[in-house]
Amino acid sequence: MSEVINLSVYRQGVRLRRARQIEPQLVEIVDALARLGGAGHRRAIADQVFAARTGRRAPAPRAVEGEIYEVLDAYAEAAPRRRSPPLVHRPLGEDSYRWALTPHGAGLLRRTATPRGRSGRDVLH
């Protein structure tokens, strides 16, 4: 037994690898939904993504809206074929433009403070 494994560091590494397998725009959407309290209209999600990208609080341009809507629509269409738990869903039904985080999606970007003695940056948990 020459190696000691820190279980929390191992689990954190597994979560980071999983997060890297997700489309970057979907991670932005999950983060935007978290900042919106867990649910929001797709236009509000696009505005949050735009604000995160640019640092400006303004309505998202049509190009950004289109990009976010396209990712959300593609994610919804792929739902029947997906083996992993969903990150976001339409809580009001398929015809709704409102999206919400699932418990799995909420846990994806949960931020936790790093242990003392390490850098003061937040890490994905």
Side-chain angles (χ1 to χ4, degrees):
M1 196 165 150
S2 62
E3 236 179 280
V4 175
I5 297 174
N6 183 330
L7 185 58
S8 65
V9 171
Y10 170 78
R11 286 181 178 161
Q12 185 178 48
V14 169
R15 287 184 188 112
L16 286 171
R17 284 189 294 279
R18 283 187 201 142
R20 285 187 200 110
Q21 295 172 354
I22 300 169
E23 287 185 49
Q25 295 92 345
L26 188 58
V27 173
E28 289 178 309
I29 289 168
V30 169
D31 187 46
L33 282 167
R35 282 185 270 122
L36 289 169
H41 188 278
R42 69 183 189 165
R43 179 170 288 134
I45 296 167
D47 292 344
Q48 283 290 326
V49 168
F50 180 69
R53 288 179 182 177
T54 64
R56 295 184 332 192
R57 290 255 176 224
R62 295 239 185 248
V64 174
E65 279 185 356
E67 176 188 354
I68 298 305
Y69 299 172
E70 187 177 311
V71 171
L72 287 169
D73 290 342
Y75 191 80
E77 286 176 21
R81 298 180 304 277
R82 190 175 303 111
R83 286 195 263 162
S84 61
L87 302 175
V88 296
H89 69 111
R90 290 179 172 147
L92 302 178
E94 290 182 23
D95 295 333
S96 173
Y97 290 140
R98 187 166 183 81
W99 287 83
L101 290 173
T102 64
H104 186 72
L108 179 68
L109 293 180
R110 188 172 15 139
R111 300 197 188 281
T112 59
T114 56
R116 290 188 187 267
R118 296 194 178 185
S119 70
R121 294 178 295 171
D122 284 350
V123 294
L124 290 176
H125 180 67

